[in-house]
Amino acid sequence: MNDQPVPDDLATTRDHLRRLNRLYAMLTRINRSIVRLDDPYELYDHVCRIAVEDGGFFFAWIGLVEPVGERVFTVARAGAPVDLERAPVSLADLPDNRCTAGTALREGRPCIVNDTATEPGLSVAWKSVLDEVGARAVAALPLALENRVIGVLVVAAAEADYFLSAEVHLLTEVAEDISFALQVMRREELRVAAESKIQFLAYYDAETGLPGRRLFAERLAAADEQAVLAVDLRRYHGILQALGQATGARLARTVANRLEALLPSAGV
C-alpha cells in the first residue's frame, strides 16, 4: 500500500481536471435546457441551479439591466444566500472598480477576481458581501441580445485562484450559448407577433380596429337566416375629406360602439 503523499503539482493538476469536468457537465446540461426551454426566465433559473449543482460553484446569480435606466435587477439565483442587494450593480460603476458585474455589463467582457482578499479593483461593497459567505473567487460574464449587453451571469467559488484560462473559456462559452438562446427566443417571439398581426389585418381594419370585409363575409354566411342590420353612414366620405382619416376612424368606432351597446345581451 502506497502511503506517500501526492506531489503538489500532481494534486493541483487533478483538481484542475476535476473542475474542468464539472464545467463540461455544466455546459452540457445547460445546453440541454436551452434546447428544451422557450421561456427566458425559466432558462435563467435553470442556469443558476445547474451552475451550483453541476458546476460546483458557491453561488450563481443572473441580473438584467432595467429597460429604462442603468440599474440591474435580479432574475435568478442559486447556492449561498449572497446579499447582492447590498452591492448594487449598475452600468455606471466607476472605472476603478475594475472587476465587478457592472464592469462586465459596461465593457461587454468577462471580469474575473481570483482572490477577493487581495484584488485592489474590487469595490468595498462587493468584497463585504462575498467575504460574508466565504467566496474567494468570482467571475462576471455579460449576456447579450441583438448585439447589446442586457445582463450578467455571476458565479463564485469558495477557493482562490479558481478561474484559470480554461475555466474562463468554458464559462464564456456558457454565456455565449445563453445569449444565442435568447436571440432564438426573440426571433420566435417576433415571428409569432408578425403572424398575429397578419392574421389580425386579414380580418380587421388597421385604422379602426373594426371587423373588415373578409370577417364580415364569414359572419354573414354564418348568420344564415338570422336578421342582419345594415347602417349607412351618410356623408362619411365627406367627413374623411374635410377632417381627415383619423377623425373618420374615430367616428366609425363610436358608431360601432353605440350599435353594439344596443344589442340584446347573451342572457336575454
Side-chain angles (χ1 to χ4, degrees), residues 192-205:
V192 171
E195 287 185 356
S196 298
K197 184 176 181 180
I198 292 171
Q199 184 77 3
F200 176 84
L201 293 177
Y203 286 93
Y204 293 88
D205 179 73

Side-chain angles (χ1 to χ4, degrees), residues 28-196:
T28 299
R29 191 174 166 195
I30 286 175
N31 283 339
R32 286 203 298 267
S33 294
I34 286 173
V35 171
R36 200 162 36 88
L37 300 174
D38 56 10
D39 177 75
Y41 289 92
E42 191 175 357
L43 177 61
Y44 299 144
D45 285 333
H46 276 243
V47 167
C48 289
R49 183 163 47 81
I50 293 169
V52 171
E53 293 176 357
D54 287 36
F57 288 109
F58 205 52
F59 75 82
W61 176 87
I62 291 179
L64 296 183
V65 182
E66 291 177 341
V68 179
E70 296 184 327
R71 303 288 291 178
V72 178
F73 62 95
T74 299
V75 294
R77 63 196 307 167
V82 59
D83 184 12
L84 291 183
E85 303 302 323
R86 288 179 32 227
V89 181
S90 169
L91 289 175
D93 277 359
L94 297 176
D96 57 344
N97 290 334
R98 293 187 298 275
C99 295
T100 66
T103 306
L105 284 164
R106 188 179 63 249
E107 299 183 5
R109 63 174 178 84
C111 282
I112 309 299
V113 175
N114 264 318
D115 193 340
T116 59
T118 60
E119 172 56 52
L122 188 63
S123 70
V124 174
W126 269 84
K127 186 178 186 308
S128 173
V129 296
L130 293 173
D131 286 348
E132 280 186 10
V133 296
R136 290 292 307 278
V138 63
L141 303 111
L143 303 176
L145 177 62
E146 297 176 342
N147 298 317
R148 181 173 62 90
V149 177
I150 63 160
V152 62
L153 165 65
V154 176
V155 292
E159 64 268 27
D161 300 320
Y162 182 97
F163 299 104
L164 304 180
S165 60
E167 284 82 355
V168 174
H169 176 77
L170 284 174
L171 287 172
T172 301
E173 186 173 347
V174 168
E176 290 174 349
D177 288 352
I178 296 169
S179 298
F180 176 76
L182 295 176
Q183 185 62 48
V184 171
M185 291 176 187
R186 173 60 60 85
R187 283 202 297 265
E188 178 64 14
E189 180 182 291
L190 293 175
R191 183 191 66 79
V192 171
E195 287 185 356
S196 298

Side-chain angles (χ1 to χ4, degrees), residues 4 17 82 194 196 208:
Q4 294 296 318
L17 289 176
V82 59
S196 298
T208 65

